[in-house]
């Protein structure tokens, strides 16, 4: 039985997710050596200083040399070019995976560049915050969250087990789906809520008769929670919408129909219809709490969290 540990792990991208994987892998003793690379020298230097990587490489091709596990942790729009760049230096028998928030496009963009004898197993840890960069990561990010793997048909059983155990020991629960189903589920639970939050906050910013100071002063009445989501990284979210177009448009169509029904109920004073719609949604919140994916504490159960500042935190 595989133990999920690797002699050498290469992380391409050292932001929130890359750094959190490194912290979680170190916490569980899953890596003999972690080498990281990022676009900027500043991110590479910060990562070394914080200590979640053991070494850094200037180029992705150099980073993956001799690595047993390669994890793409950059925005999804970069994956195709990165896969092309590293294809000749991937070690035979290595596992290449990713953390991208969409999966069909990742299979399309990375798949053609995976050499024979290298195991490509796409993955998506469904955990995050609105923060970015190497200082935002922490070991507990994946604890009790789900990581979805989308192994292609005929994927090597041993490699899938090894990656499954890696994620389990990083704290995650692991689930399996096809890339298409993943993209539809995520369009519902993540992509549409982000689109709505971006639009809601953008709409408030455009209002002329309600001042910006009023919006901020009274934000605790609901708006504030949308601003947290709408503060998420613009590059990452641009890439998600461009790469999950079909599923997002499908769910957006249904959302638009439902909002029209609510609009109509408000216009015609149909109180029962509004009451029924709001009662149904309350039950979903209760189920999320029962499944341990949030707490019933006020303020959505969020507590202030400090990014780790050294190896031991
Ligand atoms: P992030 O904090 O913004 O970090 C992105 C990292 O990628 C940075 O280190 C950046 O380097 C590097 N990078 C960007 N383009 C690159 C390139 N062409 N070559 C090499 N390095 C490059 O982003 P993140 O939140 O960790 O997200 C990374 C991935 O995780 C995305 O695909 C996203 O879909 C997925 N994801 C995110 C969340 C979330 O909540 N944030 C949750 C689950 C999955 P520099 O710092 O030098 O620019």
């Amino acid at each position: 039985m595989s133990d999920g540990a690797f002699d050498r792990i290469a992380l391409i991208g050292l932001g929130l997710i890359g750094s959190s994987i490194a912290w979680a892998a170190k916490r569980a003793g899953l890596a003999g050596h972690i080498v990281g690379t990022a676009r900027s020298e500043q991110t590479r230097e910060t990562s070394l200083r914080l200590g979640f990587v053991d070494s850094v490489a200037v180029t992705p091709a150099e980073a993956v040399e001799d690595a047993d596990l390669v994890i793409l942790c950059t925005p999804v729009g970069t994956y195709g070019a990165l896969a092309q760049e590293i294809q000749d230096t991937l070690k035979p028998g290595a596992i290449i995976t990713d953390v991208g928030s969409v999966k069909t496009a990742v299979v399309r963009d990375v798949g053609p560049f995976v050499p024979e004898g290298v195991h490509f197993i796409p993955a998506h840890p469904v955990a995050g915050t609105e923060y970015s960069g190497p200082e935002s990561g922490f070991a507990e990010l994946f604890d009790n969250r789900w990581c979805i793997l989308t192994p292609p048909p005929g994927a090597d059983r041993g490699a899938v087990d090894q990656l499954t155990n890696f994620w389990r020991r990083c704290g995650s629960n692991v689930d399996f789906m096809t890339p298409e189903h993943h993209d539809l589920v995520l369009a519902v639970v993540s992509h549409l809520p982000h689109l709505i939050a971006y639009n809601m906050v953008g709409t408030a910013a455009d209002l002329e008769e309600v001042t910006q100071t009023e919006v901020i002063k009274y934000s605790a009445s609901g708006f504030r929670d949308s601003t947290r989501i709408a503060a998420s990284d613009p590059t990452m979210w641009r890439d998600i919408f461009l790469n999950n177009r079909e599923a997002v448009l499908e769910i957006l169509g249904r959302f638009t129909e439902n909002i029209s029904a609510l609009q109509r109920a408000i216009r015609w004073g149909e109180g029962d219809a509004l009451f029924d719609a709001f009662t149904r949604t309350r039950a979903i919140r209760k189920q999320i709490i029962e499944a341990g994916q949030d707490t019933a504490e006020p303020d959505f159960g969020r507590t202030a969290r400090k990014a780790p500042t050294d190896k031991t935190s």
Side-chain angles (χ1 to χ4, degrees):
M1 185 65 191
S2 62
D3 63 0
F6 294 87
D7 286 340
R8 191 175 176 91
I9 296 177
L11 297 171
I12 303 181
L14 301 169
L16 170 70
I17 301 296
S19 62
S20 295
I21 290 175
W23 287 120
K26 282 187 178 289
R27 180 184 66 173
L30 291 171
H33 184 101
I34 300 180
V35 52
T37 188
R39 238 177 348 186
S40 67
E41 193 179 342
Q42 191 188 353
T43 296
R44 297 193 296 267
E45 276 177 7
T46 304
S47 305
L48 263 183
R49 175 175 55 77
L50 293 172
F52 62 79
V53 290
D54 301 303
S55 65
V56 289
V58 175
T59 66
E62 205 185 304
V64 306
E65 270 175 31
D66 213 30
D68 308 289
L69 174 66
V70 173
I71 313 181
L72 304 177
C73 306
T74 55
V76 288
T78 63
Y79 285 2
L82 284 171
Q84 187 168 16
E85 196 180 332
I86 63 177
Q87 61 180 331
D88 293 333
T89 40
L90 285 166
K91 179 177 163 179
I95 295 174
I96 174 169
T97 184
D98 72 302
V99 296
S101 309
V102 303
K103 294 272 71 79
T104 313
V106 169
V107 172
R108 178 199 67 202
D109 293 350
V110 176
F113 300 109
V114 178
E116 191 77 25
V118 169
H119 309 292
F120 174 40
I121 307 167
H124 176 204
V126 187
T129 75
E130 67 276 32
Y131 298 105
S132 309
E135 300 192 68
S136 60
F138 53 105
E140 301 78 19
L141 181 65
F142 310 109
D143 287 352
N144 200 30
R145 297 288 174 244
W146 286 92
C147 183
I148 300 171
L149 303 191
T150 64
D156 181 82
R157 191 68 246 165
V160 174
D161 281 352
Q162 180 68 350
L163 190 63
T164 301
N165 288 329
F166 174 81
W167 276 110
R168 289 206 173 118
R169 291 184 63 193
C170 282
S172 284
N173 306 310
V174 176
D175 219 346
F176 299 89
M177 287 181 194
T178 62
E180 295 75 20
H181 192 66
H182 167 279
D183 287 357
L184 193 62
V185 172
L186 268 292
V188 175
V189 299
S190 172
H191 306 170
L192 187 68
H194 275 80
L195 195 67
I196 295 167
Y198 279 125
N199 189 35
M200 199 181 300
V201 176
T203 304
D206 290 344
L207 286 178
E208 281 160 9
E209 287 167 23
V210 177
T211 65
Q212 197 100 35
T213 37
E214 284 169 318
V215 169
I216 291 164
K217 186 166 156 192
Y218 300 113
S219 63
S221 45
F223 182 72
R224 187 185 58 186
D225 294 313
S226 301
T227 61
R228 185 184 69 80
I229 297 178
S232 300
D233 186 68
T235 306
M236 168 180 153
W237 282 95
R238 177 203 60 197
D239 284 5
I240 288 173
F241 289 115
L242 292 180
N243 286 285
N244 197 18
R245 191 185 351 220
E246 278 174 33
V248 169
L249 291 178
E250 160 67 19
I251 302 303
L252 191 57
R254 285 168 181 259
F255 176 84
T256 311
E257 281 172 25
N258 287 342
I259 205 110
S260 297
L262 291 174
Q263 189 179 16
R264 189 190 149 81
I266 294 169
R267 186 180 306 285
W268 295 103
E270 293 167 357
D272 287 350
L274 293 174
F275 187 86
D276 288 350
F278 303 158
T279 304
R280 199 158 62 98
T281 55
R282 258 193 147 176
I284 291 185
R285 170 86 190 142
K286 198 161 164 262
Q287 285 169 29
I288 289 171
I289 293 165
E290 281 166 4
Q293 294 301 303
D294 204 347
T295 76
E297 299 292 309
D299 200 23
F300 283 25
R302 287 195 299 278
T303 49
R305 150 196 89 60
K306 208 172 151 284
T309 50
D310 61 40
K311 263 184 168 170
T312 53
S313 53

